[in-house]
Amino acid sequence: LYQDKIYGGSYSGGYLWEFDPATSVHTELIHGMLDEYYQARVHGLTVGDNKVFFSTVPSTSGLGGCLGWWNLETGEWEYMEKNLVQDQIFISIHYDEKTDLLYAASSIAGGSKAKSTATEAVIMVFDVAEKKKLGEFSVRAEANPDSDMVFDLEAGAVIPEYISCVTQDPATGEYAVTPGIATLVVTGTI
């Protein structure tokens, strides 16, 4: 829910929708990402600064998802880029309004039946104002017998094929990422 409206994506064809619960009106914001970008569905979704940010999954046998956003003030598709992390998709995205940075958690997967070419999922950091990728980094986990946590953010044995979540504690600014299954959470400052 953002500005009293609900946003979501649909499959297939890569559509972005807006729903107004007060009027029960469903509005199609973006349609046809399949034709231009070969994207089948919206996957990750987050909002902020009058924008609806989204990530996509390619169509059957395709690799390389997109990251984009819809500008609610102008009513236009403001940005869309494929393969910001080569041949990977973004499962989870988080927008930090304080820094105007977008954090995207990747997966080496592609569309249905796609044969992956990547070997390690990453976190990508993107500058929204500049519309440019700042970088990407690995989130590897290793068992730590001296900690109550099962894993640390140190380079180690577990190399994730997907990072299922990236989120932020607004009070502390600390981030949490989940490399692989949702029962493992790694926290730290990005």
Side-chain angles (χ1 to χ4, degrees):
L1 188 63
Y2 184 70
Q3 298 177 348
D4 298 323
K5 295 190 177 147
I6 298 169
Y7 297 91
S10 62
Y11 175 79
S12 81
Y15 294 87
L16 182 65
W17 297 92
E18 175 184 83
F19 177 71
D20 185 341
T23 62
S24 296
V25 173
H26 229 143
T27 306
E28 182 182 295
L29 300 178
I30 297 176
H31 65 277
M33 286 187 259
L34 185 62
D35 294 337
E36 188 174 349
Y37 293 97
Y38 198 62
Q39 302 299 298
R41 64 186 173 272
V42 171
H43 197 283
L45 193 68
T46 191
V47 291
D49 194 29
N50 290 310
K51 295 175 179 70
V52 180
F53 300 94
F54 58 90
S55 62
T56 63
V57 175
S59 195
T60 303
S61 302
L63 292 172
C66 291
L67 181 70
W69 63 84
W70 179 265
N71 187 316
L72 294 170
E73 287 179 357
T74 64
E76 295 178 355
W77 189 350
E78 188 173 319
Y79 180 82
M80 184 81 155
E81 182 78 30
K82 185 174 178 181
N83 274 325
L84 284 164
V85 174
Q86 189 64 42
D87 294 340
Q88 295 194 36
I89 64 170
F90 298 117
I91 294 178
S92 176
I93 57 176
H94 171 76
Y95 176 64
D96 184 340
E97 282 194 73
K98 293 177 186 168
T99 62
D100 204 23
L101 297 178
L102 191 63
Y103 296 87
S106 82
S107 166
I108 65 171
S112 171
K113 301 179 185 174
K115 209 169 188 174
S116 181
T117 59
T119 58
E120 181 175 8
V122 297
I123 297 288
M124 188 221 28
V125 183
F126 189 88
D127 185 319
V128 173
E130 298 294 322
K131 297 181 182 168
K132 79 175 196 179
K133 177 179 167 179
L134 298 180
E136 61 188 64
F137 60 92
S138 299
V139 179
R140 295 184 179 186
E142 181 178 331
N144 181 356
D146 299 323
S147 171
D148 290 339
M149 289 181 61
V150 180
F151 294 88
D152 287 278
L153 192 59
E154 300 298 320
V158 179
I159 300 174
E161 292 184 355
Y162 61 95
I163 301 170
S164 58
C165 183
V166 59
T167 191
Q168 180 185 30
D169 180 333
T172 65
E174 186 172 75
Y175 279 82
V177 297
T178 307
I181 56 174
T183 55
L184 166 65
V185 175
V186 180
T187 61
T189 303
I190 296 178

